[in-house]
Amino acid sequence: MKKIQHITTVLEYTSIEELDSIYQNLINKAKEATQSSYSPYSNFKVGAAILLENGEIIQGSNQENSAYPSGLCAERVAMFYANSKHPDIPVKCIAIAGYSNDQFLERPLPPCGSCRQVLLETQERHNTPMKVLLYGQNQILEIENIKQLLPLYFDKDMLDE
Ligand code: THU
């Protein structure tokens, strides 16, 4: 038996001003997107903003449904739209923000497991590293490659074995 460790590297910022202006703008777009959330059941508004390699920004927010599992997270709403609008353009970065009880969350909001799987497949599809920015009022986290957030991931290569 041998122990294998998977180490995740995360960069931490305590102020948005520490980031390049392009990423400050992307975070602001994610914050803006929270306001288009349809979340009457959880009252938890999530916004995502995706920066494409051509400079275009795609925004999305969580969309809930009275049949609860039919709803979708902000990250997947934005990513599926980006991929359907521009199937051949790689994604450089996704910024995520959360809003609840009339304010932006203090802590960064990490994407759920299903969203990590979808983001990872987009990265693999374009073979271009995707940066992830998690916004919180007190802390901003940057992950330089979505693979960092999903060790031992399942991907299409498994289907060929
Ligand atoms: N949600 C997202 O949109 N993204 C996440 O990363 C976590 C959760 C949404 C799903 C649901 O509408 C609400 O937040 C509460 O779980």
Side-chain angles (χ1 to χ4, degrees):
M1 195 276 272
K2 116 173 162 194
K3 193 183 271 186
I4 303 170
Q5 279 188 308
H6 296 274
I7 296 169
T8 299
T9 305
V10 177
L11 309 181
E12 182 193 37
Y13 303 90
T14 48
S15 154
I16 194 166
E17 275 84 47
E18 291 176 55
L19 290 153
D20 283 352
S21 60
I22 192 165
Y23 296 117
Q24 289 186 28
N25 180 46
L26 196 66
I27 285 174
N28 286 330
K29 293 284 184 192
K31 291 171 73 176
E32 181 183 87
T34 60
Q35 301 309 303
S36 70
S37 162
Y38 176 65
S39 43
Y41 306 104
S42 70
N43 291 311
F44 190 77
K45 298 170 188 274
V46 184
I50 289 172
L51 176 65
L52 299 175
E53 210 172 64
N54 67 357
E56 191 176 332
I57 291 175
I58 306 273
Q59 291 169 289
S61 57
N62 56 328
Q63 301 295 313
E64 298 185 349
N65 194 279
S66 53
Y68 293 174
S70 302
L72 201 61
C73 293
E75 296 90 325
R76 275 177 287 164
V77 168
M79 194 56 73
F80 286 145
Y81 179 53
N83 286 334
S84 53
K85 192 173 180 214
H86 295 294
D88 299 321
I89 302 183
V91 169
K92 276 182 75 173
C93 183
I94 179 168
I96 305 162
Y99 185 94
S100 157
N101 298 319
D102 299 322
Q103 61 166 359
F104 289 102
L105 302 187
E106 293 183 355
R107 289 189 294 152
L109 168 64
C112 79
S114 297
C115 288
R116 293 176 196 211
Q117 179 73 28
V118 166
L119 302 186
L120 178 54
E121 179 131 350
T122 300
Q123 170 173 294
E124 298 280 277
R125 176 175 167 177
H126 298 300
N127 203 19
T128 305
M130 185 191 302
K131 197 195 287 283
V132 184
L133 288 171
L134 310 178
Y135 174 77
Q137 283 194 62
N138 296 342
Q139 187 191 42
I140 297 168
L141 299 179
E142 175 183 332
I143 297 97
E144 288 174 308
N145 183 315
I146 180 66
K147 276 188 184 172
Q148 295 272 324
L149 289 184
L150 201 60
L152 296 178
Y153 57 86
F154 179 87
D155 73 2
K156 65 177 176 31
D157 294 344
M158 300 298 301
L159 300 173
D160 299 328
E161 285 203 11

